[in-house]
Amino acid sequence: MTDRAFSVVRAGALTTVQDLGRPGHAHLGVPRAGALDEPAHRLANRLVGNPASAAALETTLTGCALRLRTATTVAVTGAPCPVTVDGRPAPWGAPLRVPAGAVLDVGPATHGLRSHLAFAGGIDTEPVLGSRSADLLSGLGPDPLTEGAVLPLGAPYGPAAGADAVPHPGPVTELVLPFLPGPRDAWFTAAGLHTLATGRFRVSPASNRIGLRTEGPPLERSRGGELPSEGMPLGALQVPPDGLPVLFLHDHPTTGGYPVVGVVPERHLAPAAQAVPGTPVRFVRMR
Amino acid sequence: MRPLPVGEHGLLIELDSAEEVEALHAELLRRAADGALPPLREIVPAARTVLLDGLADPRGLLAELAAWDIPPIGAGDRPAVEIPVRYDGPDLADVAALWDCTADEVVRRHSATEFRVAFCGFAPGFGYLTGLPEPLHVPRRDTPRTKVPVGSVALAGPYTGVYPRSSPGGWQLIGTTDTVLWDPRREPAALLAPGTRVRFVPRETT
């Protein structure tokens, strides 16, 4: 094993390797996967001089801790959190030089859910179908981090482009999800669609990288039964028989049998990656 | 052909039959190969629909689609993929009862059918294969199994399929194959991509 690597000291609740995912294989049943907070992933890579496509870590709520085998420039973005190097405070949202042998600790999120941690050179695990992303639904890509695991790093790309200012997201007090109706809004009554647009929903603790589940008033359907299996896009609001919308995130199945009442455009999905269970959710019809 | 909106960059095209889905999918692939299709991220055929996702201008393609002449699917020029099967599944007797025939006759009918991969989903490399006549469609198990072994050859509704990896599942298991359905290190990773013709070849059980 090369020295360009890190070992996992504390894996955290769920820490996965993610890049921009493996789009283009949905017809084979392969989810897109990829970083849930894509703007944060891109920013972390930019801060350490990587292309946006480099693989980084995505943590969940409790962060993670790693021992670097070689001096490496890293950056943490996404959910704000305390960052330490060998116990000494270090900046969040800025390029940070970590000496060889030092322990980098990405602490629990102070607000938000997922922090994105990039390393100069990117994580160099073996790509699967062109991506290093872990896909929790189908089990493609590297396993979630476990204590003691060693992950290789690539050679640095060059000096970081840097950033004048890094947006420090405030707490997500309400998740607002704009959606376009369809393709199966006709499966719901006018009252059901009204419920979607006006109801008070919350993020369910059963949410994961596959879908953001909601709790709230069920949507009334105008017809029963299942739908023949059909393609499900990223951002689909799928409504299972309990009537509660599930927002499909990056590890969602590529086909499914429940009606999709609306679709949240991709550019509005990053806040969903940071919404903790219990966060109020509002669905806003775009037209 | 009934197009439905899917977000800002998608179209879901609903058709009347699995054959029409296959014909439109084949035409889309032909046009994509000829460079005659606008750039898009995904083409996802399913039971009655084709999802087109990642289009810059879905309305533009929609207008164009209406004028397409889509030839019906032919027999196909590529030979069928052959999958050797040991017909030793735990639900073989139940399927024989549902078909009102002997287990040997289930083997004969299943292996005499030429299937086509209508679409994939559920898991990477899991193809939904159509071809069984309607009287042979069977319901799923009342209680899904928590673990279906890799390589299980199974039936449910209008479909037959092969589990590419061990997973929970509610289909009726009639046999087992050693053929590798999904290997991301192989090109192509999926043995059964949409449109592929498939035959199951009985092997002696050992």
Side-chain angles (χ1 to χ4, degrees), chain B residues 71-199:
Chain B
I73 43 165
D77 46 5
R78 275 181 302 175
V81 169
E82 295 199 343
I83 299 180
V85 180
R86 296 182 300 279
Y87 283 91
D88 57 1
D91 304 330
L92 189 62
D94 288 357
V95 170
L98 288 162
W99 287 6
D100 194 20
C101 67
T102 63
D104 284 349
E105 182 62 12
V106 171
V107 174
R108 197 196 64 76
R109 288 179 185 175
H110 190 258
S111 58
T113 305
E114 183 169 293
F115 293 97
R116 302 177 83 100
V117 183
F119 63 99
C120 295
F122 173 65
F126 185 87
Y128 291 76
L129 279 58
T130 51
L132 277 180
E134 192 161 350
L136 301 186
H137 297 178
V138 298
R140 291 168 208 231
R141 307 289 299 174
D142 287 340
T143 307
R145 288 183 170 84
T146 53
K147 195 174 174 196
V148 173
V150 60
S152 294
V153 178
L155 299 173
Y159 305 114
T160 195
V162 185
Y163 284 78
R165 61 183 178 132
S166 177
S167 68
W171 290 30
Q172 310 271 2
L173 310 184
I174 60 171
T176 319
T177 181
D178 298 327
T179 301
V180 176
L181 276 291
W182 172 257
D183 179 356
R185 285 159 301 189
R186 185 176 65 189
E187 179 57 46
L191 185 67
L192 305 183
T196 308
R197 296 157 60 218
V198 182
R199 293 193 81 97

Side-chain angles (χ1 to χ4, degrees), chain A residues 44-83:
Chain A
N45 270 328
R46 199 155 69 240
L47 288 170
V48 299
N50 290 348
S53 58
L57 292 180
E58 176 184 293
T59 68
T60 312
L61 202 58
T62 59
C64 66
L66 316 164
R67 186 183 299 278
L68 277 304
R69 290 193 171 177
T70 184
T72 308
T73 302
V74 305
V76 185
T77 62
C81 58
V83 178

Side-chain angles (χ1 to χ4, degrees), chain A:
Chain A
M1 173 74 69
T2 161
D3 277 351
R4 290 208 54 79
F6 63 82
S7 58
V8 180
V9 176
R10 180 174 66 83
L14 175 68
T15 305
T16 58
V17 176
Q18 297 294 340
D19 54 21
L20 298 178
R22 47 182 73 82
H25 304 283
H27 63 290
L28 302 177
V30 177
R32 160 121 51 125
L36 285 198
D37 188 340
E38 193 180 307
H41 171 89
R42 289 176 178 272
L43 176 60
N45 270 328
R46 199 155 69 240
L47 288 170
V48 299
N50 290 348
S53 58
L57 292 180
E58 176 184 293
T59 68
T60 312
L61 202 58
T62 59
C64 66
L66 316 164
R67 186 183 299 278
L68 277 304
R69 290 193 171 177
T70 184
T72 308
T73 302
V74 305
V76 185
T77 62
C81 58
V83 178
T84 63
V85 175
D86 277 343
R88 284 188 296 278
W92 174 96
L96 170 63
R97 188 77 177 161
V98 179
V103 171
L104 168 70
D105 191 288
V106 176
T110 52
H111 50 268
L113 195 54
R114 295 178 169 100
S115 300
H116 292 261
L117 167 55
F119 307 82
I123 297 172
D124 196 24
T125 50
E126 195 183 344
V128 177
L129 297 176
S131 166
R132 295 179 169 87
S133 283
D135 167 358
L136 299 187
L137 181 71
S138 51
L140 300 183
D143 291 331
L145 295 202
T146 52
E147 267 139 50
V150 175
L151 277 78
L153 296 172
Y157 291 88
D164 295 329
V166 172
H168 190 295
V172 183
T173 53
E174 183 182 40
L175 178 61
V176 178
L177 295 172
F179 72 96
L180 286 160
R184 298 295 177 187
D185 49 326
W187 280 54
F188 297 85
T189 63
L193 296 174
H194 185 73
T195 302
L196 178 65
T198 60
R200 298 164 71 89
F201 295 89
R202 290 177 308 280
V203 176
S204 158
S207 301
N208 54 26
R209 284 187 43 91
I210 296 168
L212 181 129
R213 292 169 182 276
T214 62
E215 296 168 340
L219 310 194
E220 184 182 76
R221 266 170 57 168
S222 57
R223 48 192 294 188
E226 284 189 28
L227 194 65
S229 206
E230 63 187 25
M232 297 280 142
L234 179 61
L237 292 171
Q238 199 199 44
V239 185
D242 66 8
L244 298 176
V246 178
L247 171 67
F248 271 166
L249 300 178
H250 286 56
D251 289 1
H252 75 85
T254 65
T255 59
Y258 300 129
V260 169
V261 66
V263 178
V264 178
E266 268 180 67
R267 59 199 161 89
H268 296 299
L269 288 178
Q274 300 296 356
V276 299
T279 304
V281 181
R282 199 151 49 92
F283 297 101
V284 180
R285 189 182 163 124
M286 290 171 74
R287 61 155 194 252

